[in-house]
Amino acid sequence: GAVVSQHPSRVICKSGTSVKIECRSLDFQATTMFWYRQFPKQSLMLMATSNEGSKATYEQGVEKDKFLINHASLTLSTLTVTSAHPEDSSFYICSARGTANEQFFGPGTRLTVL
Amino acid sequence: AQSVAQPEDQVNVAEGNPLTVKCTYSVSGNPYLFWYVQYPNRGLQFLLKYITGDNLVKGSYGFEAEFNKSQTSFHLKKPSALVSDSALYFCAVREGGSSASKIIFGSGTRLSIRP
């Protein structure tokens, strides 16, 4: 099946700094990408949906100024956590959907904010 | 709005016995249904999906799921459990027929297989 990669797989940062997470579709063009977050022992919660070349659509309760999403190309979306706080520590998973309407998930990025 | 429920936080089964992980869904249109498995500190692995066709769907690692429209259920099953099946399982739903629809996940069920 298609492959979605995320970089980095783990990141530790200090409170107040910004962190960028990349999501790439490696062998298909992703017209839509999704960002999820998962707290320990909990389910995946959809944060936002992004379509290539347009602004992301955020789910209720997700701060768009804190979680900046850029989907500049059909193979790359980035999530930037700005002014990170310890409560932002979580497992962030991206997902990419291509023209065939199949959806594939990345391996996740574990963010720890000290 | 679409939703999916996994009523059991944990399911415990002895190795070699059949297992069932329950899932019910709610969606306004035709449902696309999925099961994923997650091992500790890892991403999601796709197990199987129902889009259309036969109600019994066969997937990876010997798992299968049965789509029941009248009961709005999509329970995951396996005839003979393995210790290595111990993991976190997520049921997910997406409204079919719309390229803009999103996948929503259930709360997850932790499956524990004892030797």
Side-chain angles (χ1 to χ4, degrees):
Chain A
V3 177
V4 175
S5 71
Q6 281 184 242
H7 179 80
S9 58
R10 291 176 177 268
V11 58
I12 301 172
C13 70
K14 292 182 178 179
S15 186
T17 61
S18 295
V19 174
K20 180 185 285 188
I21 302 170
E22 291 186 350
C23 176
R24 294 181 184 273
S25 58
L26 297 184
D27 51 2
F28 69 102
Q29 293 185 325
T31 53
T32 306
M33 284 189 171
F34 305 84
W35 286 95
Y36 294 81
R37 67 187 298 183
Q38 183 183 27
F39 290 108
K41 300 183 180 181
Q42 295 189 28
S43 186
L44 283 77
M45 302 302 296
L46 181 64
M47 298 174 67
T49 303
S50 73
N51 293 296
E52 185 264 338
S54 61
K55 289 184 178 180
T57 301
Y58 290 81
E59 296 298 302
Q60 191 172 9
V62 178
E63 299 175 59
K64 63 180 180 181
D65 294 330
K66 180 168 185 62
F67 298 100
L68 302 179
I69 292 172
N70 184 287
H71 191 168
S73 77
L74 285 171
T75 59
L76 173 65
S77 176
T78 60
L79 167 67
T80 301
V81 183
T82 62
S83 187
H85 287 275
E87 56 264 32
D88 298 325
S89 298
S90 189
F91 195 49
Y92 292 87
I93 300 175
C94 76
S95 179
R97 183 183 297 171
T99 53
N101 245 331
E102 293 274 352
Q103 189 163 334
F104 303 93
F105 288 82
T109 297
R110 181 159 302 283
L111 170 64
T112 302
V113 184
L114 302 176
Chain B
Q2 62 204 71
S3 65
V4 58
Q6 293 179 243
E8 304 154 315
D9 289 338
Q10 177 138 354
V11 170
N12 300 308
V13 176
E15 187 175 28
N17 283 0
L19 68 88
T20 299
V21 184
K22 296 180 181 177
C23 172
T24 58
Y25 67 90
S26 174
V27 66
S28 55
N30 291 325
Y32 289 1
L33 295 157
F34 308 84
W35 275 101
Y36 292 87
V37 60
Q38 186 180 37
Y39 295 95
N41 296 311
R42 302 286 292 276
L44 296 179
Q45 291 184 33
F46 171 80
L47 280 180
L48 50 81
K49 67 180 177 183
Y50 170 83
I51 303 296
T52 186
D54 288 342
N55 290 342
L56 185 63
V57 179
K58 294 188 183 295
S60 307
Y61 312 119
F63 283 93
E64 59 187 31
E66 186 166 11
F67 170 62
N68 187 315
K69 188 174 183 178
S70 62
Q71 296 185 4
T72 61
S73 67
F74 190 57
H75 301 331
L76 181 70
K77 300 182 180 184
K78 186 172 182 179
S80 179
L82 300 173
V83 173
S84 57
D85 292 330
S86 298
L88 189 56
Y89 289 79
F90 291 103
C91 182
V93 67
R94 177 188 159 194
E95 183 176 339
S98 169
S99 60
S101 63
K102 48 204 175 188
I103 291 180
I104 300 299
F105 286 85
S107 55
T109 298
R110 187 163 300 282
L111 179 62
S112 178
I113 310 299
R114 60 183 184 273

